[in-house]
Amino acid sequence: MEKVTKLASERPVVIFSKSSCCMCHTIKTLFYEFGVNPTVYELDEIPRGRELEQALLRFGCSPSVPVVYIGGEFVGGANEVMSLHLNRSLIPMLRRAGALWV
């Protein structure tokens, strides 16, 4: 989990994803539509991606992707991100993390 935490703290928005996951695509598109440029780790395309996925599962992420960190803080998966968006909390969170300037 240390590697996940380290990667998540290096950028304002980090998404752990899989290239074949439709919900991952949806979450990435949401951030892109806001003008956010998240750092995306496609676990099925990077070396040691399986290890990162196992760490996310052990952390309690189910399903293992998508997993979103904002400002180095664990946000959750697609349900949590969409809930934040619908209750208008996501944009302020992105601004506080320095991922959005407008």
Side-chain angles (χ1 to χ4, degrees):
M1 194 61 198
E2 288 178 31
K3 179 72 171 168
V4 169
T5 304
K6 181 182 182 313
L7 291 172
S9 67
E10 292 176 347
R11 308 294 288 179
V13 178
V14 175
I15 302 173
F16 293 95
S17 173
K18 283 190 175 178
S19 60
S20 60
C21 170
C22 64
M23 289 311 294
C24 295
H25 175 76
T26 301
I27 295 302
K28 290 183 288 189
T29 300
L30 177 69
F31 284 106
Y32 294 139
E33 290 291 321
F34 288 150
V36 172
N37 186 23
T39 298
V40 178
Y41 294 101
E42 299 289 0
L43 300 182
D44 56 337
E45 295 179 352
I46 62 172
R48 306 183 84 169
R50 185 75 180 137
E51 288 177 32
L52 292 173
E53 183 177 8
Q54 292 300 318
L56 291 168
L57 286 168
R58 283 192 301 276
F59 183 62
C61 301
S62 180
S64 61
V65 293
V67 172
V68 176
Y69 282 80
I70 298 174
E73 298 294 320
F74 174 73
V75 173
N79 288 341
E80 291 80 11
V81 170
M82 292 308 292
S83 292
L84 288 169
H85 175 51
L86 291 173
N87 73 26
R88 299 176 185 257
S89 300
L90 185 57
I91 297 289
M93 187 181 286
L94 292 168
R95 285 189 181 124
R96 284 192 303 274
L100 198 59
W101 294 278
V102 179

